[in-house]
Amino acid sequence: MIKRIINGLRKRGILNALRAFYSKYWFEIRYGLKMNPSMKRDFFGKGKTMQQGHTWYEPISHYTFDRMMKSLDWNFRESTFMDFGCGKGAALLLASRYGFKKCMGVEYNQSLADDCMSIIGKFIKRTKREFTHEIICCDATTYVIPPDVNVFYFFNPFDSALMDIVMQNIDLSLAVAKRPILVLYFNALHKEVIEKYGYKKIYEEPVDKINIWYQGGNYAYTK
């Protein structure tokens, strides 16, 4: 924990590090929602192990998420947002503030998926702001992606092998319904997987390893 704080100060400076730390717990403080702590996806249940190729569960902070979204010139209200490895739903709650017509989460762990549904319900009740959402508890590598999903979000949920399979599934979805899409990748440790599929990188930030790719014609990137 101390090492992470020191690294955060070095990367961001004192002011931005404080903003990032505060925003990490923002939902918990403001709405009484338990999104933290970070943990492996095998933390629950005797005898259950983390699925091979999956990584840590960790909620994204609104400070980081907003920096990523505000770099985009995109019609969110005509888009469907999908979070692979949605955990307890932090990114889905943040995405709901951008007016997506639907927010979807894919999570293979039933315990986390149940928590996600519960937290979204509490968030809607406390904010009195409904948003269309769906949580699918399944193996992401076998999930058939709906033809209307056009914004894909990853917080480093997979190793390179699983990431490759999911990207293949996105390609299959595009073959069924050709459309422009965005791939938002936070803590992009396996960005070479996305690059090999011919996506155009439109944004990169080294501090939090934020990378955004576009596929499907011209993109009017104005930021």
Side-chain angles (χ1 to χ4, degrees), residues 141-161:
T141 63
T142 60
Y143 177 64
V144 179
I145 296 167
D148 61 333
V149 180
N150 60 339
V151 178
F152 298 90
Y153 168 78
F154 301 87
F155 185 172
N156 188 35
F158 313 125
D159 65 9
S160 59

Side-chain angles (χ1 to χ4, degrees), residues 19-34:
R19 286 172 177 166
F21 180 80
Y22 164 74
S23 68
K24 182 178 176 66
Y25 299 95
W26 180 71
F27 280 117
E28 294 191 29
I29 295 169
R30 186 170 182 180
Y31 300 112
L33 306 175
K34 191 172 182 181

Side-chain angles (χ1 to χ4, degrees), residues 72-76 78-82 100-101 145-152 170-171 173-184 198-200 202 212-220:
L72 295 168
D73 179 14
W74 193 262
N75 187 352
F76 299 120
E78 295 300 319
S79 299
T80 296
F81 177 93
M82 175 166 283
F100 284 95
K101 65 181 181 182
I145 296 167
D148 61 333
V149 180
N150 60 339
V151 178
F152 298 90
I170 293 175
D171 259 16
S173 178
L174 292 175
V176 172
K178 189 173 178 61
R179 61 200 185 274
I181 68 168
L182 287 174
V183 174
L184 316 177
Y199 284 68
K200 175 185 178 182
I202 57 174
I212 302 176
W213 285 271
Y214 174 77
Q215 178 87 286
N218 295 320
Y219 175 74

Side-chain angles (χ1 to χ4, degrees), residues 44-48:
F44 56 93
K46 185 177 180 180
K48 294 185 178 180

Side-chain angles (χ1 to χ4, degrees), residues 9 13 27 35 45 59 62 74 83 87 92 94 100 114-115 137 175 178 188 196 214-215:
L9 289 170
F27 280 117
M35 312 295 296
H62 80 270
W74 193 262
D83 178 3
L92 299 174
L94 291 166
F100 284 95
D114 290 345
D115 284 347
C137 186
K178 189 173 178 61
K196 80 175 188 179
Y214 174 77
Q215 178 87 286

